Amino acid sequence: MNAENFEASERLVNAAYIRQGSQGRRAHELHLRTLLEQGKCPGDGWDESTVELFLHELAVMDSNNFLGNCGVGEREGRVASGLVARRHYRLIHGIGRSGDVSAIQPKAAGSSLLNKLTNSVVLDIIRLAGVKTASSCFVVPMATGMSLTLCFLTLRHKRPKAKYIIWPRIDQKSCFKSMITAGFEPVVIENVLEGDELRTDLKAVETKIQELGADNILCVHSTTSCFAPRVPDRLEELAEICMKQDIPHIVNNAYGVQSSKCMHLIQQGARRGRIDAFVQSLDKNFMVPVGGAVIAGFSDSFVQEISKMYPGRASASPSLDVLITLLSLGSRGYQQLLKERQEMFSYLSSELKKLAEARGERLLETPHNPISLAMSLKALDEQSGTEVTQLGSMLFTRQVSGARVVPLGAMQTVSGYTFEGFMSHTNSYHCPYLNAASAIGISRQDVDVFLKRLDKCLKTLTKGRNHDKDTPVATEEEIGSEMEKCSTHAAETNAKN
């Protein structure tokens, strides 16, 4: 509805009422105008009607939604299912062009505008979260691992002689496979144990650079967010080494946006040394469906080079999801979620410590990890080699997701490389343990229910007696009975819901 249409409406409905309706619509349009002018996440979240109005306005700017459009090409935004069209708000053309995922599409002005605004809003959030000097970013419709691969492939053209990537070990398959997929040879740097924490071995990094030669190294591939007892890499020191040796530095910041400590490490690393790009997941940081990531950096030209490396157009779904989410939350809403996450981390830490002590275990000391916690499982390991993994199975059956039980001595081969002590980030950690994380969106109820179910599982495995080597262990039949009861209860609960 424009001014002319409102004026025409006054012939049908009382002019006073039409003016009031016009003013109501103008309130929505002021939100849109502010977004277009500033390109920043609104302070307060928009209501759903404003978000939907905006998306419909974008959609009618795409050629597939033009009245009377006649398409004779191979890609004309045709969709067979109306349900699919509505799911995507009729934004069918995707983002980018064949040569650049950030390029403008002539026949999809609305989708192109969506892409540009999403990148701008996400950059604003990255700055608010702590990396204040980030200069550019773009949303890519691939998860973190493939997005890292895209960064490595971009660096290949800058360093044609390079064949190695220096990688402080983190036992997570996708970041390791991202290097293999790009065609490079990972050089694994084992972590050093400091107390309970596993930290970056800086001397080993420098030694390996001297051994291989800086020109033969594509980059250093470091990590922020990770499972305890590993902690974020020493990013500042690694960034200084990279600057001194003139070696690129790519940071895997998978779920680090939600942590002010992780974001501070990136900011400080860029200030003191060299960080070329940092990659973060959309679903882990912004609570949207899996399938997207954000590649950000401190050089507009390098970030643009990465976007041009992406072959072909791309799905707009991840961009659409994160834009809707951030417009609905607003910057203050998102910052409130970050605050609540931090509070829940403290609560989870204190309560898990109490439970551990009551069960003859301890909460491992990992003060440099701001998201993940680890509780020792020595008592279970002393009873039987299978009790540790049995705990993981019992928790999963009781609908506890995300908790990781890490036994000693696990072996895993990933893309031809064999890792000893896999999942523990080192060849031989001093005890098995259980991981739990306080990630964005976690609630106090999540923590309380987890602790209750964990305690029940531990009681079942130890039959509630003293925690010494002579403690009788629950039989397989007893464990199976407990698991069956839990499955029955879960099924009944789902049926009621």
Side-chain angles (χ1 to χ4, degrees):
M1 295 285 283
N2 55 28
E4 293 177 353
N5 288 336
F6 279 118
E7 184 177 348
S9 300
E10 292 178 4
R11 295 197 298 270
L12 302 172
V13 177
N14 186 292
Y17 301 155
I18 294 298
R19 284 194 296 272
Q20 186 178 33
S22 175
Q23 291 169 359
R25 180 183 173 87
R26 180 167 174 75
H28 292 286
E29 291 177 340
L30 286 174
H31 285 310
L32 309 189
R33 180 177 175 181
T34 301
L35 175 64
L36 292 169
E37 289 179 345
Q38 299 180 357
K40 294 183 177 181
C41 187
D44 296 316
W46 292 2
D47 63 286
E48 289 188 6
S49 61
T50 304
V51 175
E52 290 191 323
L53 172 64
F54 177 50
L55 296 177
H56 288 307
E57 293 280 356
L58 292 178
V60 297
M61 295 170 66
D62 283 1
S63 63
N64 62 292
N65 297 311
F66 292 173
L67 298 178
N69 181 66
C70 175
V72 293
E74 83 289 351
R75 179 187 285 121
E76 296 299 330
R78 301 184 182 103
V79 176
S81 168
L83 182 60
V84 171
R86 291 192 298 277
R87 175 178 177 253
H88 295 275
Y89 285 90
R90 293 181 169 79
L91 292 160
I92 310 301
H93 279 285
I95 58 174
R97 302 186 74 181
S98 58
D100 184 352
V101 76
S102 297
I104 304 298
Q105 292 189 65
K107 61 183 177 183
S111 293
S112 298
L113 185 55
L114 166 75
N115 189 24
K116 294 295 183 182
L117 284 172
T118 300
N119 294 341
S120 182
V121 168
V122 171
L123 179 60
D124 183 46
I125 290 296
I126 285 175
R127 289 169 175 169
L128 287 173
V131 186
K132 299 184 184 301
T133 60
S135 65
S136 183
C137 79
F138 69 99
V139 172
V140 59
M142 303 186 296
T144 309
M146 287 302 296
S147 298
L148 287 166
T149 295
L150 193 65
C151 295
F152 301 144
L153 290 173
T154 304
L155 288 174
R156 180 194 293 277
H157 297 281
K158 291 177 170 290
R159 301 175 73 82
K161 291 175 55 180
K163 58 181 291 189
Y164 303 106
I165 295 179
I166 302 292
W167 181 65
R169 177 177 171 177
I170 174 171
D171 289 353
Q172 201 272 341
K173 293 181 183 178
S174 64
C175 58
F176 183 77
K177 292 173 75 174
S178 70
M179 299 179 283
I180 301 293
T181 303
F184 295 96
E185 182 178 331
V187 178
V188 182
I189 304 297
E190 292 292 338
N191 300 300
V192 292
L193 186 65
E194 296 182 8
D196 288 330
E197 292 185 327
L198 291 165
R199 307 209 67 186
T200 316
D201 189 340
L202 295 172
K203 289 184 179 179
V205 170
E206 291 183 298
T207 299
K208 190 59 69 172
I209 290 173
Q210 295 300 322
E211 177 186 324
L212 298 174
D215 290 342
N216 295 316
I217 297 171
L218 182 81
C219 67
V220 171
H221 176 193
S222 63
T223 305
T224 54
S225 53
C226 54
F227 294 116
R230 196 194 192 280
V231 299
D233 280 319
R234 298 181 185 273
L235 242 62
E236 295 178 48
E237 292 88 341
L238 286 175
E240 289 178 339
I241 292 172
C242 288
M243 175 172 277
K244 179 182 177 181
Q245 299 289 341
D246 193 26
I247 296 174
H249 185 188
I250 304 296
V251 180
N252 175 10
N253 189 44
Y255 46 99
V257 178
Q258 60 191 281
S259 165
S260 58
K261 183 175 288 187
C262 289
M263 297 301 271
H264 177 73
L265 286 174
I266 294 173
Q267 177 62 54
Q268 288 299 99
R271 185 182 67 83
R272 291 178 50 181
R274 176 173 180 174
I275 292 179
D276 294 74
F278 55 103
V279 180
Q280 36 274 308
S281 164
L282 284 184
D283 62 282
K284 293 175 182 175
N285 292 292
F286 300 105
M287 296 190 293
V288 297
V290 172
V294 182
I295 299 176
F298 303 91
S299 164
D300 291 348
S301 60
F302 181 62
V303 173
Q304 189 175 12
E305 283 183 55
I306 300 173
S307 72
K308 289 181 177 178
M309 181 59 62
Y310 187 98
R313 288 174 174 79
S315 169
S317 291
S319 296
L320 181 62
D321 291 339
V322 73
L323 182 62
I324 290 173
T325 300
L326 291 177
L327 291 179
S328 300
L329 286 172
S331 60
R332 279 186 278 273
Y334 186 72
Q335 287 175 314
Q336 179 63 29
L337 287 174
L338 301 186
K339 179 183 177 184
E340 290 171 1
R341 185 212 69 80
Q342 198 164 12
E343 291 171 351
M344 284 301 100
F345 178 80
S346 299
Y347 178 63
L348 174 62
S349 177
S350 63
E351 295 302 307
L352 190 58
K353 183 177 182 179
K354 292 176 186 176
L355 188 152
E357 291 173 350
R359 291 275 148 203
E361 301 290 355
R362 68 187 183 89
L363 185 69
L364 301 182
E365 293 291 333
T366 56
H368 290 95
N369 194 316
I371 299 175
S372 177
L373 296 165
M375 185 186 92
S376 69
L377 296 174
K378 281 188 175 181
L380 291 184
D381 189 52
E382 290 171 354
Q383 292 171 8
S384 167
T386 63
E387 299 304 316
V388 172
T389 53
Q390 185 67 58
L391 175 61
S393 300
M394 293 178 71
L395 287 171
F396 183 76
T397 305
R398 285 163 171 74
Q399 299 184 339
V400 174
S401 60
R404 297 168 73 249
V405 171
V406 181
L408 294 178
M411 300 281 286
Q412 180 75 50
T413 300
V414 183
S415 299
Y417 290 75
T418 299
F419 292 89
E420 297 181 25
F422 189 75
M423 291 176 66
S424 64
H425 319 289
T426 185
N427 290 336
S428 180
Y429 196 65
H430 57 70
C431 69
Y433 56 86
L434 167 79
N435 278 134
S438 175
I440 188 168
I442 192 172
S443 67
R444 190 182 185 95
Q445 182 181 13
D446 289 328
V447 175
D448 291 339
V449 172
F450 160 65
L451 293 169
K452 181 179 179 181
R453 293 177 183 175
L454 173 60
D455 190 43
K456 185 175 181 180
C457 289
L458 291 172
K459 283 181 180 178
T460 301
L461 289 170
T462 60
K463 300 193 73 172
R465 299 183 185 179
N466 294 331
H467 305 283
D468 54 47
K469 292 184 180 179
D470 299 322
T471 300
V473 179
T475 65
E476 291 185 7
E477 290 77 10
E478 290 172 321
I479 293 172
S481 175
E482 283 295 318
M483 294 171 68
E484 184 176 352
K485 288 178 184 177
C486 182
S487 298
T488 302
H489 175 72
E492 292 173 349
T493 302
N494 290 334
K496 289 179 182 178
N497 293 334

